[in-house]
């Protein structure tokens, strides 16, 4: 019983995420510090933590599509995505001079952002906010005497409908998770009350009313 009280399963809530509908699978989901630059402030930049998610439809040789998503916990209306399928991958491969095929592209994306997460002193994602709902993410490696751009992802801002779905899901998910956590706390309270009432009295001294 104690193990069940500790475990919290949010999978049912997360399955309602509009980004994973239709069979998409999340293969990377991490918050990473980004350097953000704006077109009218080329000499200035800010650093902000951005959530990076990489999702695929299909797998292995059955891979149909990959989507790279950028969002922010601080701004629910911040949403950019990069989508590649079999038909347009050749353009990406040529422009980025990649030495992988479409089926290896998800691994390239995951490894790239994992480096940014684990080796922050050497690899940094730079987000260039552009006009016309466009943006560009460049992964920059810092060498001894210069900076080298390893790969660039062309991003598109989510339209009004995508943003609406994204905000609606985020708001509902936070509310639902809060209700689950609140119920879990009540269960733990009742367990401690029965098993160790003295401990409960001690804890109540430090808990807000």
């Amino acid at each position: 019983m104690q193990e069940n009280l500790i475990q919290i399963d949010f999978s049912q809530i997360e399955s309602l995420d509009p980004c994973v509908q239709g069979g998409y699978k999340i293969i990377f989901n991490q918050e990473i510090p980004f350097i953000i630059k704006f077109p009218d402030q080329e000499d200035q930049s800010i650093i902000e933590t951005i959530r990076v998610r990489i999702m695929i439809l299909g797998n292995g040789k059955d891979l149909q599509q990959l989507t790279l998503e950028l969002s922010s916990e601080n701004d629910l209306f911040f949403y950019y995505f990069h989508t590649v399928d079999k038909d347009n991958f050749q353009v990406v491969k040529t422009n980025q001079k990649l030495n992988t095929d479409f089926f290896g592209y998800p691994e390239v994306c995951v490894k790239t952002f994992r480096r940014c997460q684990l080796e922050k002193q050497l690899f940094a994602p730079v987000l260039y906010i552009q006009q016309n709902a466009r943006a560009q993410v460049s992964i920059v490696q810092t060498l001894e005497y210069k900076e080298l751009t390893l790969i660039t992802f062309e991003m598109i801002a989510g339209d009004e409908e995508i943003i609406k779905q994204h905000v609606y899901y985020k708001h509902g998910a936070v509310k639902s998770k809060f209700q689950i956590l609140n119920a879990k706390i009540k269960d733990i309270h009742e367990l401690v009350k029965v098993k160790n009432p003295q401990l409960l009295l001690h804890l109540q001294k430090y808990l807000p009313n």
Side-chain angles (χ1 to χ4, degrees), residues 65-66 83-93 102:
Q65 193 172 79
L66 173 143
T83 298
V84 177
D85 57 24
K86 293 180 181 179
D87 295 331
N88 61 17
F89 174 73
Q90 190 57 46
V91 175
V92 174
K93 179 176 181 177
F102 174 63

Side-chain angles (χ1 to χ4, degrees), residues 180-193:
I180 292 173
L181 288 171
N182 194 42
K184 188 68 66 174
I185 290 172
K186 289 182 179 178
D187 290 342
I188 294 174
H189 179 278
E190 292 302 317
L191 178 64
V192 175
K193 183 178 180 181

Side-chain angles (χ1 to χ4, degrees), residues 10 16-17 19 27-28 34 57-58 66 72-73 79 83 127 131-132 136 143-144 161 166 168 184-185 204:
F10 293 137
L16 300 176
D17 189 337
C19 295
I27 60 173
F28 185 84
F34 271 65
L57 180 61
L66 173 143
S72 172
E73 300 299 326
Y79 187 89
T83 298
L127 174 63
Q131 298 177 349
N132 301 322
Q136 188 180 78
L143 302 177
E144 185 174 0
E161 183 59 30
H166 179 70
Y168 181 80
K184 188 68 66 174
I185 290 172
Q204 287 176 337

Side-chain angles (χ1 to χ4, degrees), residues 66 82-102 105 108-109 150-154:
L66 173 143
H82 160 88
T83 298
V84 177
D85 57 24
K86 293 180 181 179
D87 295 331
N88 61 17
F89 174 73
Q90 190 57 46
V91 175
V92 174
K93 179 176 181 177
T94 300
N95 291 342
Q96 298 301 313
K97 299 180 181 178
L98 300 177
N99 58 1
T100 184
D101 58 15
F102 174 63
Y105 190 54
V108 169
C109 295
L150 299 179
I151 189 172
T152 297
F153 301 95
E154 298 295 334

Side-chain angles (χ1 to χ4, degrees), residues 116-162:
C116 295
Q117 180 190 20
L118 301 177
E119 302 177 65
K120 299 177 183 177
Q121 300 301 319
L122 297 177
F123 301 93
V126 182
L127 174 63
Y128 298 92
I129 303 294
Q130 302 171 346
Q131 298 177 349
N132 301 322
R134 298 278 177 170
Q136 188 180 78
V137 173
S138 292
I139 307 302
V140 177
Q141 180 181 4
T142 301
L143 302 177
E144 185 174 0
Y145 299 110
K146 68 175 182 178
E147 292 183 341
L148 177 66
T149 299
L150 299 179
I151 189 172
T152 297
F153 301 95
E154 298 295 334
M155 313 294 296
I156 302 175
D159 60 24
E160 184 177 350
E161 183 59 30
I162 291 177

